[in-house]
């Protein structure tokens, strides 16, 4: 029924917890429960991401853009569509779309390993001006979670995928690379400059 319909009381009932104040005591609020779920799941994702980054650091020469995007996307994919019965990508996608939960996602999903990849991407994409660079990364992360969520749902519905899981994940990485590497059009750059001038005028 969607994240917006979730209440602590209902979660407590579904979990078979008879103590009516247990969820409130342990998590404090609905957002506290969401953050606990995200944080617990992100621990393994972060560990895997740091492993991929360490592997890149052990190689000679600069990291390719695709290697960095793989470190960003692959750990999430491995813990969602690559695991039978996963609902986690759908859960995160709903959290991103929920105004009350999006700040929780930023604290939990965008942890130390995410910030490490982000800083490396910033150095790699210096030709992409801010704030376009940050917006592109937000688009890439949002697309990754939404794509993985759709793949989870299709799998659970028994839909035969067009591509095997490994190919789906690699294609998703390719698409995210495309989002980050595409040069901004003259129209986008001009509109960005106009927006900055308006902001400077108002301030």
């Amino acid at each position: 029924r969607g994240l917006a319909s979730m209440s602590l009381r209902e979660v407590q009932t579904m979990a078979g917890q008879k103590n009516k104040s247990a969820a409130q005591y342990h998590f404090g609020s609905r957002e506290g429960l969401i953050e606990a779920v995200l944080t617990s799941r992100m621990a393994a994702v972060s560990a895997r991401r740091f492993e991929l980054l360490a592997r890149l650091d052990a190689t000679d020469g600069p990291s390719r853009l695709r290697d960095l995007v793989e470190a960003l996307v692959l750990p999430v994919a491995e813990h969602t569509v690559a695991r039978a019965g996963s609902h986690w990508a759908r859960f995160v996608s709903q959290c991103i779309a929920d105004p009350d939960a999006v700040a929780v996602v930023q604290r939990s999903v965008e942890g130390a390993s995410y910030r490490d990849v982000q800083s490396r991407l910033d150095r790699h994409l210096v030709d992409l001006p801010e704030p376009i660079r940050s917006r592109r990364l937000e688009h890439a992360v949002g697309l990754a979670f939404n794509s993985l969520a759709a793949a989870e749902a299709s799998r659970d519905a028994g839909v035969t995928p067009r591509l095997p899981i490994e190919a789906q994940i690699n294609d998703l990485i390719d698409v995210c690379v495309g989002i980050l590497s595409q040069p901004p059009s003259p129209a986008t750059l001009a509109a960005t400059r106009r927006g900055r001038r308006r902001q400077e005028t108002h301030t």
Side-chain angles (χ1 to χ4, degrees):
R1 289 180 290 115
L3 191 64
S5 300
M6 186 192 83
S7 68
L8 278 183
R9 186 182 296 262
E10 186 176 18
V11 170
Q12 188 168 277
T13 301
M14 295 296 291
Q17 174 58 249
K18 297 193 184 338
N19 183 345
K20 292 183 179 179
S21 61
Q24 185 77 32
Y25 174 79
H26 286 290
F27 304 109
S29 65
R30 171 179 170 274
E31 285 68 35
L33 173 59
I34 291 170
E35 185 163 11
V37 173
L38 290 171
T39 301
S40 66
R41 293 298 299 269
M42 277 306 299
V45 171
S46 292
R48 173 65 168 139
R49 186 173 288 142
F50 278 132
E51 177 189 328
L52 293 173
L53 292 173
R55 198 176 297 171
L56 291 180
D57 291 338
T59 59
D60 294 330
S63 300
R64 297 182 307 154
L65 176 59
R66 194 184 190 284
D67 294 330
L68 295 173
V69 176
E70 180 178 277
L72 181 69
V73 175
L74 182 60
V76 178
E78 289 175 341
H79 286 79
T80 53
V81 292
R83 290 192 173 190
S86 170
H87 293 74
W88 192 54
R90 281 169 282 182
F91 179 75
V92 175
S93 290
Q94 288 196 36
C95 289
I96 291 172
D98 187 308
D100 295 326
V102 66
V104 177
V105 175
Q106 290 171 341
R107 286 198 302 271
S108 306
V109 175
E110 299 176 9
S113 67
Y114 176 89
R115 291 192 296 273
D116 192 344
V117 175
Q118 183 182 31
S119 65
R120 294 173 189 234
L121 286 170
D122 280 341
R123 294 193 296 272
H124 204 286
L125 299 169
V126 289
D127 292 335
L128 199 61
E130 282 290 355
I132 295 173
R133 192 188 318 155
S134 297
R135 182 168 168 77
R136 291 281 185 90
L137 183 57
E138 289 173 3
H139 277 313
V141 172
L143 171 70
F145 273 108
N146 287 332
S147 178
L148 294 169
E152 280 182 350
S154 295
R155 179 198 59 203
D156 289 355
V159 177
T160 302
R162 297 176 188 173
L163 295 171
I165 290 297
E166 184 178 359
Q168 286 183 51
I169 294 171
N170 277 284
D171 183 60
L172 177 58
I173 293 168
D174 293 340
V175 172
C176 290
V177 169
I179 290 173
L180 293 171
S181 61
Q182 174 65 29
S185 68
T188 299
L189 292 172
T192 302
R193 286 192 293 270
R194 286 195 297 271
R196 282 178 175 162
R197 284 197 294 269
R198 289 193 201 100
Q199 286 179 339
E200 289 168 0
T201 301
H202 289 307
T203 55

